């Protein structure tokens, strides 16, 4: 970029906001005057803002909910520990973080996604160095403006440029690895990270051991609020006679008095509730197998109920094929996942890292169907960990059909579910977000604000010449 130095501030502010839509740039306390571009322009021209007393942490999270939810959970925990802390996110414009982060009350800067296509020698990767350079440049502008004490990357393509920029900016970084086997980017960043938080103990072998802490995966705070099965069940099946005295108000609030809680749980105890999840977009193979046997399974087992998240991609097609059934709750996305978990006796799902962690914390027996369409076969490794912990059964996607799914559901429901529950809870780390937040705040407090940092005026002069 060839920029006039007198226009450098405005140009850099424009570059950093180019990929942001107005709807995801709410005014927050981190920006004076409600204008996010102002401090960027000031810092590019060399006028760094004075450093306030409060801690400042910047997160990089993007791509999937599995990367975004942990970052939001850690941010919430940091806010709980330090109400005056300043938090900002970096993500991409067209992915989940562009809505999830602002809806959680945090400001997000958008930069272009920088990813390596597979196979590695694809022609599409020829422009990767240029795209990475542009994203790193933009992240350096954001760091100069915000001057964070610490950078936390929770995965996704967006983590790489921000963490690289943090190293150039001499700002300590931490990474949080959700999977049992880390990806290439996190393995590389782990060499330079000040701290590495891993969800599963088996991941430690992929990083420098002295930097690792087995923290578990941060999960949504809503899942830590316990709801009785009767209340949760009535949210999805309000016409079920045995639980009909749980009012809609109690269901909505996730609350019921102790007497009705115990009596309704006893009366709902005979119900076998299966929760099927396939991610926000849906899992085609799970949906197709279930479509061929759902109604027959419900008709054959009068005490069996099904909560089915189809994903937005398959919802309309499946509703047309299946129709309605009094013991079937079908939706494209479960908005109150804490109620769905509380109602369920068994969960059928993909084995994404966050799903596995949620199953452990909720103590739910599961049947995991790892997706084969993920990098480095992460989901199979996660599923094997769950299987070895005794908390899940694994059904390979290549072996999945209506008959195999029905057989394994009957097998698990006929086994010792309580034992699987206990083993899941034993492997869970429910306070992961709070534990990570405590460690991040300690490291951030030790980090001096780097005043002699990256100089944009010097770079602008070089580009001008």
């Amino acid at each position: 970029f060839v920029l006039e130095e007198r226009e450098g501030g405005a140009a850099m502010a424009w570059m950093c906001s180019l990929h942001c839509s107005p709807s995801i740039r709410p005014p927050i306390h981190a920006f004076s005057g409600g204008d996010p571009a102002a401090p960027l322009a000031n810092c590019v021209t060399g006028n760094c803002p004075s450093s306030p007393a409060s801690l400042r942490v910047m997160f990089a999270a993007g791509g999937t909910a599995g990367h975004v939810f942990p970052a939001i959970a850690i941010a919430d925990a940091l806010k709980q520990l330090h109400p005056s802390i300043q938090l900002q996110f970096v993500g991409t414009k067209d992915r989940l973080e562009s809505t999830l982060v602002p809806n959680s009350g945090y400001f997000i800067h958008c930069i272009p996604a920088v990813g390596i296509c597979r196979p590695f020698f694809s022609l599409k990767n020829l422009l990767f160095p240029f795209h990475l350079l542009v994203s790193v440049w933009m992240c350096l502008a954001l760091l100069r403006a915000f001057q964070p004490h610490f950078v936390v990357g929770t995965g996704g393509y967006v983590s790489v440029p921000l963490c690289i920029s943090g190293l150039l900016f001499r700002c300590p970084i931490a990474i949080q690895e959700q999977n049992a086997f880390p990806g290439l980017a996190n393995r590389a960043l782990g060499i330079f990270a000040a701290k590495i938080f891993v969800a599963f103990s088996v991941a430690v072998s992929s990083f420098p051991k002295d930097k690792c802490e087995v923290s578990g995966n941060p999960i949504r705070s809503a899942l830590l609020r316990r709801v009785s099965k009767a209340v949760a069940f009535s949210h999805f099946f309000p016409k079920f006679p045995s639980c009909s005295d749980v009012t809609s108000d109690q269901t909505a609030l996730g609350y019921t008095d102790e007497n009705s809680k115990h009596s309704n749980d006893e009366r709902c105890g005979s119900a076998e509730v299966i929760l099927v999840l396939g991610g926000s977009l849906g899992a085609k193979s799970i949906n197709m197998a279930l479509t061929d046997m759902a109604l027959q399974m419900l008709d054959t087992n009068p005490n069996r109920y099904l909560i089915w998240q189809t994903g937005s991609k398959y919802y309309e097609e499946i509703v047309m094929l299946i129709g309605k059934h009094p013991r079937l709750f079908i939706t494209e996305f479960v908005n109150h996942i804490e109620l769905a978990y509380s109602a369920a006796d068994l969960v059928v799902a993909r084995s994404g890292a966050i799903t596995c962690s949620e199953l452990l914390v909720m103590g739910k027996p599961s049947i995991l169907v790892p997706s084969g369409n993920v990098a480095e076969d992460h989901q199979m490794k996660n599923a094997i960990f769950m299987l070895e912990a005794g908390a899940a059964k694994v059904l390979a996607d290549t072996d999945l059909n209506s008959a195999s799914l029905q057989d394994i559901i009957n097998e698990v429901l006929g086994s010792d579910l309580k034992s699987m529950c206990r083993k899941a809870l034993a492997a869970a780390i429910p306070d992961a977000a709070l534990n990570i937040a405590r460690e991040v705040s300690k490291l951030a407090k030790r980090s001096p604000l780097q005043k002699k940092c990256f100089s944009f005026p010097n770079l602008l002069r070089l580009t001008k010449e």
Side-chain angles (χ1 to χ4, degrees):
F1 299 92
V2 180
L3 304 171
E4 291 294 333
E5 186 173 351
R6 67 178 183 275
E7 297 174 351
M12 183 57 64
W14 173 79
M15 284 174 60
C16 292
S17 61
L18 179 64
H19 294 272
C20 286
S21 69
S23 62
I24 57 175
R25 300 175 62 195
I28 60 169
H29 65 277
F31 295 111
S32 59
D35 182 8
L40 289 176
N42 289 336
C43 75
V44 171
T45 54
N47 301 319
C48 288
S50 59
S51 41
S54 61
L55 292 175
R56 295 180 300 284
V57 177
M58 183 168 275
F59 290 88
T64 66
H67 295 311
V68 180
F69 281 134
I72 293 173
I74 297 169
D76 289 343
L78 282 168
K79 270 289 186 187
Q80 181 183 338
L81 292 174
H82 308 285
S84 63
I85 196 170
Q86 295 184 35
L87 304 169
Q88 290 186 20
F89 283 71
V90 174
T92 53
K93 181 179 70 170
D94 300 321
R95 303 303 291 270
L96 284 172
E97 64 269 22
S98 65
T99 54
L100 291 177
V101 172
N103 288 345
S104 299
Y106 299 108
F107 187 90
I108 183 167
H109 300 278
C110 294
I111 64 171
V114 182
I116 296 178
C117 300
R118 285 178 169 78
F120 181 77
F121 295 104
S122 169
L123 292 176
K124 295 179 181 178
N125 289 328
L126 291 176
L127 292 176
F128 172 77
F130 172 74
H131 291 154
L132 180 62
L133 180 62
V134 171
S135 293
V136 168
W137 175 278
M138 295 172 71
C139 288
L140 281 166
L142 298 174
L143 290 172
R144 179 77 175 186
F146 189 50
Q147 295 191 13
H149 296 90
F150 211 77
V151 168
V152 180
T154 60
Y157 292 140
V158 75
S159 281
V160 175
L162 183 64
C163 288
I164 290 174
S165 301
L167 294 171
L168 294 174
F169 195 74
R170 293 184 292 173
C171 177
I173 67 172
I175 58 176
Q176 194 271 323
E177 174 56 53
Q178 296 94 31
N179 291 289
F181 185 78
L184 178 62
N186 267 2
R187 293 203 302 274
L189 291 172
I191 299 171
F192 307 100
K195 195 73 177 179
I196 303 166
F197 301 101
V198 297
F200 305 107
S201 57
V202 294
V204 173
S205 61
S206 301
F207 296 109
K209 292 183 180 180
D210 59 323
K211 297 181 180 182
C212 290
E213 179 177 323
V214 182
S215 61
N217 270 323
I219 62 171
R220 289 167 276 187
S221 57
L223 296 178
L224 300 177
R225 296 194 296 268
R226 298 296 178 184
V227 181
S228 72
K229 180 179 178 179
V231 170
F233 185 94
S234 293
H235 176 81
F236 298 101
F237 304 103
K239 296 182 179 180
F240 180 55
S242 298
C243 292
S244 59
D245 56 338
V246 178
T247 68
S248 58
D249 288 341
Q250 290 171 327
T251 301
L253 294 172
Y255 168 82
T256 185
D257 64 76
E258 287 300 312
N259 292 331
S260 64
K261 171 182 171 181
H262 292 303
S263 61
N264 280 289
D265 273 348
E266 289 172 2
R267 282 181 283 175
C268 290
S270 61
E272 295 177 338
V273 183
I274 303 167
L275 169 63
V276 179
L277 303 171
S280 56
L281 294 179
K284 181 178 180 179
S285 59
I286 296 177
N287 283 334
M288 293 302 100
L290 198 59
T291 299
D292 293 337
M293 50 78 74
L295 295 181
Q296 184 217 348
M297 178 184 69
L298 293 175
D299 290 338
T300 306
N301 302 274
N303 288 329
R304 196 165 289 181
Y305 296 76
L306 180 60
I307 302 171
W308 184 356
Q309 177 181 286
T310 64
S312 56
K313 190 176 180 180
Y314 305 101
Y315 176 71
E316 292 184 2
E317 177 186 356
I318 290 174
V319 168
M320 288 180 62
L321 291 171
I322 293 290
K324 294 182 178 180
H325 191 285
R327 286 181 279 115
L328 169 64
F329 181 92
I330 188 166
T331 180
E332 60 181 283
F333 188 76
V334 177
N335 290 314
H336 296 283
I337 190 64
E338 71 280 6
L339 294 178
Y341 278 131
S342 296
D345 297 288
L346 174 65
V347 180
V348 179
R350 292 296 197 194
S351 50
I354 299 305
T355 297
C356 290
S357 294
E358 290 178 349
L359 291 168
L360 293 177
V361 170
M362 298 300 291
K364 293 298 170 180
S366 58
I367 297 169
L368 299 176
V369 186
S371 172
N373 300 319
V374 294
E376 302 181 71
D377 209 16
H378 288 307
Q379 290 207 4
M380 179 57 76
K381 295 178 175 70
N382 295 339
I384 290 172
F385 174 87
M386 297 286 284
L387 176 66
E388 292 176 348
K393 298 291 185 181
V394 178
L395 178 60
D397 198 69
T398 52
D399 297 331
L400 176 64
N401 55 51
S402 58
S404 63
L405 182 58
Q406 187 160 7
D407 287 344
I408 197 168
I409 287 174
N410 291 334
E411 177 191 339
V412 176
L413 287 175
S415 64
D416 188 357
L417 289 178
K418 289 184 179 179
S419 175
M420 294 182 74
C421 289
R422 287 193 298 269
K423 290 175 180 177
L425 291 170
I429 306 178
D431 298 326
L434 197 56
N435 292 338
I436 293 173
R438 288 193 181 105
E439 187 63 25
V440 166
S441 61
K442 285 180 187 176
L443 294 169
K445 287 176 182 177
R446 296 176 195 161
S447 169
L449 184 65
Q450 302 296 331
K451 293 185 178 179
K452 294 181 180 179
C453 51
F454 192 84
S455 172
F456 283 111
N458 291 339
L459 259 191
L460 292 171
R461 290 189 190 99
L462 289 173
T463 54
K464 183 178 178 181
E465 293 170 3

